[in-house]
Amino acid sequence: MTPTQLRAFAAVVRIGSVKGAGADLGVSAAAVSLNIAQLRKELGDQLFVRTPVGLAFTPGGLRLASRAAELLGLQDLTIAEVSQAGAGRRLLRVSASSLFAEYAAPGLIELFTSRANDLDVELSVRSPRQFSDLLLGRSADVAIGPVSSKVHPSLVLTSILKYQIVVVVGSSHPLARGHTSLDQLRGSTWLLGPGASDEAGVVPQMLRRIRVPEYRQRIFQSDAAALDEARRNNGVALAVSFVVARDVSKGQLVKLAGSGLQTDEMWSLLTMPDPDPGSAVAELTRFVTTPRATQAMLRVSGVSVSRFKPSVHVTLWS
């Protein structure tokens, strides 16, 4: 497989037609078809077929679509890394859990990168279950999030910030009026962030503990989107307590009380042992436990990554 073939296939997947893919790539439809034919021959899979309502992809085609995006992304990243290295720039690859990436990482990374003009940060959202493999495989330099007891014994763990997960509803939601039973909670619509789709982690654990049926769970692309729905009184949400503290104090959200409706957790930094004292990993490890870093993580500023200087590259992995 060549990058040209993968880009042609990825464009077909994204646009839904060979002709449209050609126009997007600036080549003829015949060139796109040739690349697809070469992929089909090499992989022994039809990849997709044309139907009256559009393209229908085979299971192999869907798998290739996912891998093509990943491979092309890695190629682009490698080109950027080589260019940055030639210009004397450093790159720090941070893998983080979804909650940390959404709420604590923006302030932390903005403040950390403001101290070093030669540093770029790539932030990827990953399951905490993958942290050990990412670090040992050198796919990440540091990992931040809730860390399980299954962490590889050779890795170094630094506790950085305590936080609490709570259950909230909008002020006009029926459950905001008084005592809430577990049966009422199980019968409610739950508005959840992407962390709920993982098998491990505090959010799935709380859902299992309360025994929330899967058909009652609505998973959004971000926790902020789930909280917006909760503010509109459309269901029950799980939230980081410091994130919703202002909404609770203003009466826009109500924190539900009861057994099992809150849990204390810890975000930790995970690294390989004995990093170079002058490396970005060592710098972040020293910085992340300082009072300034803690204040930055608690700020919940909602700063867009596009405002970071130097730039921060964000990659969302399914």
Side-chain angles (χ1 to χ4, degrees), residues 53-76:
V53 294
L55 301 181
F57 291 87
T58 67
L62 292 175
R63 180 66 59 87
L64 178 61
S66 174
R67 290 298 187 195
E70 183 175 347
L71 289 169
L72 292 170
L74 287 173
Q75 182 190 36
D76 292 340

Side-chain angles (χ1 to χ4, degrees), residues 126-143:
R126 294 294 191 105
S127 165
R129 294 179 302 162
Q130 300 175 299
F131 284 175
S132 291
D133 290 340
L134 290 168
L135 291 169
L136 294 171
R138 307 292 180 172
S139 297
D141 300 310
V142 300

Side-chain angles (χ1 to χ4, degrees), residues 93-148:
R93 300 167 301 168
V94 180
S95 290
S97 64
S98 60
L99 277 177
F100 185 88
E102 185 166 350
Y103 292 120
L108 175 67
I109 295 176
E110 182 184 35
L111 183 59
F112 180 64
T113 54
S114 70
R115 298 153 47 94
N117 291 327
D118 67 336
L119 180 65
D120 289 329
V121 174
E122 177 200 346
L123 175 64
S124 61
V125 179
R126 294 294 191 105
S127 165
R129 294 179 302 162
Q130 300 175 299
F131 284 175
S132 291
D133 290 340
L134 290 168
L135 291 169
L136 294 171
R138 307 292 180 172
S139 297
D141 300 310
V142 300
I144 308 178
V147 179
S148 70

Side-chain angles (χ1 to χ4, degrees), residues 151-229:
V151 168
H152 194 277
S154 69
L155 299 177
V156 179
L157 188 67
T158 304
S159 298
I160 60 174
L161 185 66
K162 291 182 179 179
Y163 66 104
Q164 186 179 71
I165 298 292
V166 296
V167 180
V168 296
V169 295
S171 58
S172 298
H173 191 277
L175 297 185
R177 299 170 186 166
H179 176 74
T180 305
S181 70
L182 289 179
D183 285 339
Q184 287 176 308
L185 286 170
R186 293 170 190 142
S188 299
T189 298
W190 284 71
L191 312 168
L192 306 164
S197 61
D198 198 355
E199 294 181 6
V202 58
V203 170
Q205 289 173 4
M206 289 187 71
L207 295 173
R208 287 193 292 267
R209 187 165 62 238
I210 299 171
R211 289 188 292 168
V212 179
E214 285 192 6
Y215 69 88
R216 291 289 185 185
Q217 301 176 26
R218 293 176 57 196
I219 299 179
F220 294 78
Q221 289 183 313
S222 69
D223 282 271
L227 284 175
D228 281 342
E229 281 295 285

Side-chain angles (χ1 to χ4, degrees), residues 252-269:
Q252 295 175 339
L253 289 173
V254 175
K255 185 167 63 175
L256 301 184
S259 176
L261 300 189
Q262 63 183 41
T263 184
D264 296 324
E265 294 293 329
M266 175 72 75
W267 280 319
S268 299
L269 179 80

